[in-house]
Amino acid sequence: MKHLKKITISNARRFGKDVEIELSSGANIFLAPNGTGKTTLFEAIEFALTGSIQRLANPPLSLIRDKQNGVDVRLDFDNGNYCEVNYRKGAEPSISGNHDLLFPEYSIKDIPFLLRLTHLIEQRGNNWFIQKGESSQAGDLLDKLSIGKDLSAIAKTKSNTLSAATKTINEKKDEKDKHKEKISIFEDKLKERDATKLNYVLKPLNEIIDQIQSIHKQFDGSSDSENIDQNPDAVASYRGLVNSIILKLQEDNQKRLFNLSNLESKLSLFESNNTEIAEKQKQIAGKTDIIQKADTDIAPLKTSLIALQGTFNEQTDLQKDLQKSKGLLDKKKEEETKSASTEKSIKSISDSISEQKLKLKSESELVDKLNAKIATFNSIRASEAEALKKQGELNSLQSVIEDWNTHVLKVIEIKNLINNQKGQKADYQKKIEDFQTDLVKIEKLFNESQTKLNSLKNASDAILGAVGIIATNLPDDQRNCPVCNAEYEPDELSKQIALALEQIDPVISSEIETNNTLKTEVDTKKQQIQNEKTTLSKINESLVENEDKLKNAQEFINEKCIPRFPDKSNVTEANEWLISEKEKNNISIEKIVKDKTEFGEEPSSKELSELITARDQTRDTIQSNETNISILTASLESIKSEIEKINQSLLSINTDLLDSQISTIATEIDATTLKITDNTRASEQIVKLRREAEEQITDLNMAISKLQGQQNEILAEWKDGNLIEPPSLSNLNIGKNILILNDELIKKGLEDLNKMSDELGRWNAAEKFTTLDKEIKEICESQEEQVYLSNMKERLSIIDGELSFIKERKAALEKLYRKIGEEVDGVHDKIKAINPLWVSLLKKIVVNPRFVETQLESYSYRNKSQAEVKINLHDEQVSVMEVASEAQATDLQLTFMLSMASTYKWTPWKSLLLDDPTQHHDLVHASGVFDLLRDYITDQGFQVLMGTHDVIQAKFFQRKLENENIDVKLWRLIAGEDGVRAELIN
């Protein structure tokens, strides 16, 4: 289960039904524009492995292709195992296959996180496990690795375990404290009971009740004899009731005594107030007589004043009429003067308007002439601007034609070059085929030679061995050859054997020389083939590059050149049209220059502005004067109308006698005014005397009211004291003596009640002893008091022992967790062991040296694993994701994932799932990434599945791998009516 063999996808997003992709064990490149299924491919793999997709809702309804009912994904591995998921709308995803073999000892819910650590790079960089301020989340993800997994799980129980131990200790402490408290309470009850034992005789309760009832009747004659329960509490309650009644009587009696003492000082005030009230009432009667006389005197004065006021009103009305007539006469003279002045102004303004209209006509003619001249110049200028603009456009088109011509030549050149390269490619392919044919022949001869040589060597070794044994064991006088039975002299036999052995070696030597020659020819021919393949590869790369150049040149002509010359199909037609347009435009420019010369100097805007200003001022002056004439004419009509009205009002008046009549009426008004003044003064004097009398009566009544208030207060206090009326010193003393006698009786009753209280206290003490003794017996139940106390103390000792035992166990747990913490720290050190490998990979692809020293920090905080990656910025450590660009973040993720994949092999499956890892890279930068992936394929046996939208990068990666003889497949994802399909590109 090392590699994926085939992926089958049905109806995942834009994918069609039953899309099968046969995978290479080396590299698989998926080329597709954005939105055509690259990300969906990797999400489908995750869905088949885990039954969910981390970034989507669960179940992932959005994964189902529009208008379809469900989605199916199956992954087949190279050892026959598989993983499959089936998901239908309204149901839960169903997974089947060999997940247990693929992910042994791991929960399926942890797989999405582990995949992102060691297998999967997503297109969305923000899904990396290291994010801003998420160190605890990153730590949880690393905990899902098998290394330190159990230790971390145990460490996470520390808080709950120790908390439970602490809770048990606290509960046991509470039990101990409660037990100690029970012992203390029991011992206190024993002491309290023993202290309440009596050594005297109790007075019977019925006698105590009789005495209290007697005291009660003495101070509350209306009370009936009550039936009191024969128990100390009821009797004490009754005694308290009587005591409160007597205390209230005592308080009231003392208060009344105090009030009588205050009342004694008020008796003299009571008598003086009576005398003062009688005097003030006499004064009120005198003031009332003064008011009545004033009312009698003022009546005739009021009647006379009314008559004088009527005369005065008639005289003032007449005076107003005369003065009004006088005002009308004066106004008539004023209006006549204004009328004459207005007529004169109207004539003067009318003469001025005639002159200004002649001036306005002259100025308007000058403005019109100047505007016509300026319009002509503006027309010439607009034509000139248009011609110059067209000249610029035509010049611009000239450069376009030059570019067009250049790119046409370039296209011809590139096409010739491509044709030559295709010819070279065919020649080299033919040459390679010829070399390969020769190689097959030479290898066949070499193999035959090798077989023959091996046979000769084996035979030679056997013969040499046999002959050597024979020669060694021949007797010195042996004459017959042991092989052919020929007879020789003994010395001659040995020489013949040696000669036979020598004749075998030259055959072998000759065959070895032939074999070596053939091997050299094989190696030479292979090297020739390899050299030709290298040259052919370079020709292919150059051919791809030239085809791209040809495409770019043709696109430039089609997009940048031809659209600028509508209806012109080639550069020659465009150039002829441009020459014609230039000649027409030059003729227009020459005519414009001639027109400018004929019209002479252009009028200035200042000259026109001054003329327009002068004309507008003249027009405004005329309008202003015409308005003034209208206003003055209306005013003149109004004046004449007013004069006519005044004449109508003065028809019945003799204007010659008007002044003498005004003088006479003024004299009469003065005389009437003097009489009114005298009458008013006399009335005011009488009113003043009356008002003073009323005010004095008010003051006297207020004084009497105040005195009567004091008298009423004294009388009320007298009545409250239940004293004999009228108020006097003798009656007051009688009341005081009665209260003093009552006070002595009350004191005697309180003394008797206090004695009853002492007797009741003895009864309460006796009851308390009985109650405590009963409580103690109930606590002890059937045990003796001392036995019960001894058992309680023994139980306390047992609880104390249990508490010590639990404390010891808690201390042992704390020691264990400290040791586990140390081991977890060691686990973090193992996790951080990937840093050297990570740094070495970063150095291969990262351009910015700042990121080369990036380190993973793994540690524990509050019994939880934490992980973060930081770099130095402004002398402070900040999260790497706050600084890294999109390309840098992708490089960090990719190299980290590769480091983790090399170090932590938590699954036998060795595939790298890379969703557009070079989308933010240029080709040079991407080349470094491709070199790294090539090393992981060749050195560590990983399978690569990479998506990209960049055709140049895809083909570059393909050629790089093919040059290394690495199996690679390039797939194109194509969208059609039946959905996205995968097409293998040869």
Side-chain angles (χ1 to χ4, degrees):
M1 197 180 286
K2 186 177 179 181
H3 297 145
L4 270 174
K5 183 179 180 182
K6 183 173 71 173
I7 303 173
T8 306
I9 302 174
S10 287
N11 298 323
R13 287 215 178 90
R14 297 187 64 189
F15 274 91
K17 182 174 177 60
D18 297 330
V19 177
E20 292 188 357
I21 303 173
E22 298 284 347
L23 299 176
S24 162
S25 61
N28 299 272
I29 307 167
F30 297 93
L31 176 62
N34 289 331
T36 318
K38 296 190 303 297
T39 300
T40 302
L41 177 68
F42 296 109
E43 288 179 341
I45 294 173
E46 180 183 358
F47 194 34
L49 293 174
T50 67
S52 64
I53 298 174
Q54 190 186 55
R55 78 175 190 88
L56 301 181
N58 193 22
L61 183 62
S62 61
L63 189 65
I64 300 176
R65 186 182 175 197
D66 192 26
K67 311 298 184 185
Q68 300 300 316
N69 189 47
V71 59
D72 303 295
V73 184
R74 179 184 172 99
L75 308 179
D76 288 292
F77 294 88
D78 55 9
N79 64 346
N81 290 328
Y82 75 98
C83 291
E84 186 173 0
V85 63
N86 308 104
Y87 169 45
R88 297 293 176 268
K89 291 180 182 177
E92 291 296 318
S94 172
I95 61 173
S96 58
N98 306 107
H99 295 79
D100 55 335
L101 300 177
L102 189 63
F103 309 123
E105 300 179 3
Y106 283 93
S107 170
I108 202 76
K109 65 181 174 35
D110 290 341
I111 304 307
F113 303 99
L114 293 170
L115 287 177
R116 285 162 176 78
L117 282 176
T118 58
H119 284 69
L120 174 62
I121 287 289
E122 296 182 282
Q123 196 176 64
R124 299 166 180 81
N126 58 357
N127 284 339
W128 195 26
F129 84 105
I130 295 293
Q131 291 297 317
K132 301 175 185 177
E134 299 293 339
S135 57
S136 61
Q137 180 179 341
D140 288 342
L141 183 53
L142 288 177
D143 274 351
K144 297 182 188 301
L145 292 170
S146 58
I147 177 171
K149 187 175 182 180
D150 295 335
L151 281 176
S152 297
I154 296 172
K156 288 178 181 178
T157 65
K158 176 181 177 181
S159 178
N160 291 336
T161 303
L162 294 182
S163 176
T166 303
K167 181 181 178 182
T168 304
I169 290 171
N170 292 335
E171 290 173 350
K172 192 58 68 175
K173 282 182 178 179
D174 289 342
E175 184 182 0
K176 177 183 176 181
D177 293 340
K178 289 176 182 177
H179 212 75
K180 285 176 69 176
E181 185 180 5
K182 285 174 71 176
I183 293 172
S184 176
I185 291 171
F186 185 75
E187 290 177 337
D188 290 344
K189 282 185 180 293
L190 290 174
K191 292 177 183 178
E192 190 178 2
R193 183 199 63 183
D194 294 342
T196 55
K197 287 183 179 179
L198 298 176
N199 52 8
Y200 47 81
V201 179
L202 295 173
K203 186 174 184 176
L205 281 175
N206 60 337
E207 293 182 10
I208 295 173
I209 292 169
D210 290 342
Q211 289 181 4
I212 294 171
Q213 286 178 337
S214 175
I215 294 169
H216 190 189
K217 287 180 181 178
Q218 181 182 355
F219 292 98
D220 187 6
S222 62
S223 64
D224 297 327
S225 297
E226 296 184 27
N227 293 322
I228 309 301
D229 292 339
Q230 297 287 321
N231 67 73
D233 289 338
V235 176
S237 177
Y238 179 53
R239 191 212 71 84
L241 173 66
V242 175
N243 190 71
S244 63
I245 292 171
I246 296 173
L247 287 173
K248 182 67 172 62
L249 289 172
Q250 185 182 42
E251 181 184 354
D252 293 343
N253 200 66
Q254 289 176 350
K255 185 176 179 181
R256 289 174 66 190
L257 273 173
F258 177 77
N259 291 338
L260 291 183
S261 298
N262 289 336
L263 196 57
E264 187 175 352
S265 63
K266 296 179 181 179
L267 284 175
S268 58
L269 176 63
F270 183 80
E271 293 173 356
S272 65
N273 283 349
N274 282 338
T275 304
E276 190 174 352
I277 288 170
E279 180 63 29
K280 291 186 182 299
Q281 286 174 343
K282 289 180 182 179
Q283 293 176 4
I284 289 171
K287 299 298 179 182
T288 302
D289 293 341
I290 293 172
I291 290 170
Q292 290 174 352
K293 184 177 183 305
D295 291 340
T296 303
D297 294 341
I298 203 169
L301 290 174
K302 286 183 177 180
T303 303
S304 174
L305 185 61
I306 291 169
L308 289 171
Q309 191 68 46
T311 302
F312 177 79
N313 291 337
E314 292 173 357
Q315 291 171 342
T316 53
D317 290 341
L318 179 59
Q319 186 184 41
K320 287 178 183 177
D321 291 339
L322 293 172
Q323 286 176 342
K324 182 178 180 182
S325 300
K326 174 68 174 172
L328 289 172
L329 188 60
D330 294 339
K331 187 176 181 181
K332 177 183 177 183
K333 293 176 181 178
E334 182 182 345
E335 293 297 322
E336 288 173 346
T337 303
K338 285 169 64 177
S339 176
S341 174
T342 303
E343 288 175 346
K344 184 178 179 181
S345 297
I346 290 171
K347 185 176 183 306
S348 173
I349 293 170
S350 297
D351 295 341
S352 175
I353 288 173
S354 299
E355 295 173 0
Q356 288 165 345
K357 283 184 176 180
L358 293 173
K359 183 181 177 184
L360 177 62
K361 182 179 179 183
S362 175
E363 290 171 344
S364 296
E365 290 174 352
L366 288 173
V367 168
D368 293 341
K369 288 179 181 179
L370 203 57
N371 275 330
K373 193 173 183 180
I374 289 171
T376 301
F377 272 97
N378 287 340
S379 176
I380 293 170
R381 189 182 295 107
S383 299
E384 182 181 26
E386 185 177 352
L388 292 173
K389 179 182 177 183
K390 188 172 182 179
Q391 188 180 45
E393 291 174 350
L394 293 173
N395 290 336
S396 173
L397 289 174
Q398 182 63 47
S399 64
V400 172
I401 284 178
E402 292 171 1
D403 289 342
W404 190 352
N405 198 42
T406 301
H407 280 80
V408 167
L409 296 174
K410 191 174 181 180
V411 166
I412 294 169
E413 180 186 350
I414 294 171
K415 283 182 177 179
N416 292 334
L417 185 58
I418 288 173
N419 290 332
N420 291 336
Q421 288 176 334
K422 286 182 177 178
Q424 290 176 354
K425 180 179 179 181
D427 292 342
Y428 275 98
Q429 286 175 337
K430 180 66 171 63
K431 191 180 291 187
I432 289 170
E433 289 175 1
D434 292 343
F435 282 150
Q436 287 175 337
T437 301
D438 293 343
L439 177 62
V440 169
K441 293 177 180 178
I442 295 169
E443 284 181 336
K444 182 178 180 182
L445 293 173
F446 172 73
N447 291 333
E448 291 173 353
S449 173
Q450 187 70 40
T451 302
K452 184 178 180 181
L453 179 61
N454 290 336
S455 298
L456 287 172
K457 283 184 177 180
N458 292 335
S460 173
D461 291 342
I463 293 169
L464 288 173
V467 173
I469 293 170
I470 293 169
T472 302
N473 296 302
L474 280 175
D476 293 338
D477 56 353
Q478 176 77 28
R479 291 178 179 273
N480 295 327
C481 175
V483 178
C484 63
N485 206 28
E487 186 174 341
Y488 299 96
E489 290 296 323
D491 292 339
E492 184 63 21
L493 181 60
S494 298
K495 289 178 182 180
Q496 288 297 325
I497 292 173
L499 180 63
L501 292 174
E502 288 175 1
Q503 287 175 347
I504 293 173
D505 287 340
V507 177
I508 295 174
S509 299
S510 174
E511 194 60 41
I512 288 173
E513 183 177 351
T514 302
N515 186 266
N516 289 337
T517 302
L518 289 170
K519 187 176 186 304
T520 302
E521 289 180 8
V522 168
D523 293 340
T524 302
K525 193 61 67 175
K526 283 184 176 179
Q527 185 61 45
Q528 288 175 336
I529 291 171
Q530 184 60 41
N531 292 339
E532 297 304 317
K533 281 186 175 180
T534 301
T535 305
L536 179 61
S537 177
K538 291 179 180 178
I539 291 172
N540 284 332
E541 289 180 5
S542 179
L543 187 59
V544 170
E545 185 178 350
N546 287 327
E547 286 174 345
D548 290 340
K549 287 180 180 179
L550 177 62
K551 180 182 176 183
N552 291 336
Q554 288 174 333
E555 285 178 352
F556 181 87
I557 292 171
N558 293 331
E559 295 175 4
K560 304 291 185 181
C561 300
I562 292 176
R564 300 290 296 276
F565 299 92
D567 303 327
K568 304 296 181 289
S569 59
N570 56 62
V571 69
T572 304
E573 291 179 2
N575 193 38
E576 290 173 355
W577 174 83
L578 182 61
I579 292 169
S580 172
E581 289 298 311
K582 279 186 174 182
E583 289 174 355
K584 292 177 184 178
N585 198 55
N586 288 336
I587 293 169
S588 298
I589 291 173
E590 289 173 0
K591 184 179 182 304
I592 290 166
V593 172
K594 181 180 177 183
D595 291 342
K596 286 176 71 176
T597 305
E598 289 177 355
F599 279 99
E601 186 179 352
E602 182 182 358
S604 67
S605 59
K606 181 179 179 183
E607 181 182 355
L608 177 63
S609 177
E610 288 175 350
L611 280 174
I612 291 172
T613 301
R615 181 197 65 187
D616 292 344
Q617 287 177 349
T618 302
R619 184 185 289 117
D620 292 343
T621 303
I622 291 170
Q623 290 176 350
S624 176
N625 286 335
E626 288 176 342
T627 302
N628 289 338
I629 285 176
S630 299
I631 293 170
L632 288 172
T633 302
S635 177
L636 181 61
E637 292 298 323
S638 176
I639 291 168
K640 288 180 178 180
S641 176
E642 188 65 27
I643 291 171
E644 182 62 29
K645 288 179 182 178
I646 292 171
N647 287 334
Q648 291 296 326
S649 299
L650 294 177
L651 285 176
S652 61
I653 297 172
N654 188 347
T655 56
D656 296 335
L657 299 175
L658 193 59
D659 290 337
S660 62
Q661 288 174 344
I662 290 172
S663 176
T664 301
I665 197 64
T667 303
E668 292 175 355
I669 287 172
D670 291 341
T672 303
T673 301
L674 182 61
K675 291 178 182 178
I676 289 172
T677 302
D678 292 341
N679 194 312
T680 301
R681 286 175 181 170
S683 297
E684 288 175 351
Q685 185 65 31
I686 294 170
V687 169
K688 181 180 179 183
L689 290 173
R690 189 181 188 287
R691 188 184 304 113
E692 289 175 352
E694 286 177 342
E695 290 174 353
Q696 290 170 354
I697 289 172
T698 300
D699 293 341
L700 289 169
N701 282 329
M702 288 179 65
I704 291 172
S705 177
K706 183 177 180 181
L707 292 170
Q708 285 178 339
Q710 292 177 351
Q711 296 299 82
N712 291 335
E713 288 177 1
I714 294 170
L715 285 171
E717 290 180 16
W718 193 269
K719 288 181 180 178
D720 289 342
N722 293 324
L723 298 175
I724 300 170
E725 294 187 10
S728 66
L729 184 60
S730 60
N731 290 338
L732 182 66
N733 289 331
I734 292 170
K736 285 173 72 175
N737 292 332
I738 292 170
L739 292 175
I740 290 169
L741 180 61
N742 287 342
D743 191 57
E744 291 174 354
L745 291 172
I746 288 169
K747 288 179 180 178
K748 177 67 170 59
L750 288 173
E751 288 175 0
D752 293 342
L753 282 175
N754 286 335
K755 291 177 182 178
M756 298 302 103
S757 178
D758 294 339
E759 290 295 332
L760 288 171
R762 296 187 184 98
W763 271 96
N764 285 332
E767 280 215 342
K768 186 175 182 181
F769 175 84
T770 304
T771 301
L772 287 171
D773 191 60
K774 183 179 179 182
E775 289 176 357
I776 290 169
K777 284 182 170 55
E778 288 174 352
I779 291 171
C780 294
E781 295 179 346
S782 61
Q783 300 180 54
E784 294 292 332
E785 292 173 4
Q786 292 305 318
V787 172
Y788 173 78
L789 185 60
S790 175
N791 290 339
M792 289 286 286
K793 289 181 178 180
E794 184 179 348
R795 176 57 186 157
L796 179 62
S797 176
I798 292 170
I799 293 171
D800 199 37
E802 292 174 348
L803 181 60
S804 299
F805 176 79
I806 296 170
K807 285 181 177 179
E808 289 173 2
R809 292 299 176 271
K810 182 187 175 185
L813 281 173
E814 289 173 340
K815 183 176 180 180
L816 172 63
Y817 281 118
R818 279 196 300 272
K819 187 66 177 175
I820 289 172
E822 293 171 0
E823 293 296 325
V824 169
D825 290 339
V827 169
H828 291 306
D829 291 338
K830 291 181 181 179
I831 291 174
K832 289 188 287 187
I834 72 154
N835 281 326
L837 175 58
W838 190 15
V839 169
S840 69
L841 296 182
L842 283 170
K843 288 179 179 179
K844 293 181 179 180
I845 64 172
V846 174
V847 177
N848 191 334
R850 168 187 289 172
F851 296 98
V852 172
E853 299 303 324
T854 303
Q855 298 281 316
L856 171 68
E857 288 297 326
S858 178
Y859 58 93
S860 292
Y861 179 68
R862 293 183 178 175
N863 302 319
K864 289 187 177 181
S865 294
Q866 313 282 322
E868 56 192 15
V869 178
K870 294 189 174 183
I871 63 171
N872 190 57
L873 179 66
H874 305 310
D875 297 326
E876 291 185 4
Q877 291 294 306
V878 300
S879 172
V880 69
M881 298 304 286
E882 294 180 2
V883 181
S885 67
E886 292 283 357
Q888 291 163 345
T890 304
D891 289 342
L892 287 166
Q893 294 180 59
L894 176 61
T895 50
F896 180 83
M897 188 201 75
L898 294 175
S899 304
M900 295 293 288
S902 296
T903 307
Y904 300 113
K905 300 176 178 62
W906 57 277
T907 171
W909 177 44
K910 298 185 72 174
S911 289
L912 302 176
L913 312 177
L914 312 176
D915 188 2
D916 218 344
T918 58
Q919 61 178 317
H920 306 291
H921 297 51
D922 56 34
L923 187 58
V924 174
H925 194 175
S927 177
V929 175
F930 296 154
D931 287 340
L932 198 56
L933 296 178
R934 175 201 60 201
D935 294 343
Y936 263 69
I937 295 170
T938 58
D939 299 343
Q940 301 190 42
F942 277 93
Q943 177 188 37
V944 171
L945 282 73
M946 186 187 85
T948 181
H949 67 280
D950 192 318
V951 62
I952 295 174
Q953 289 189 11
K955 291 185 176 180
F956 181 83
F957 189 27
Q958 180 189 24
R959 289 195 299 272
K960 182 181 285 288
L961 295 176
E962 286 175 344
N963 290 339
E964 299 285 341
N965 292 321
I966 296 172
D967 188 20
V968 57
K969 287 186 178 181
L970 177 59
W971 298 86
R972 188 188 302 276
L973 301 181
I974 302 172
E977 292 182 359
D978 57 347
V980 170
R981 296 282 170 183
E983 179 183 278
L984 183 63
I985 304 174
N986 293 326

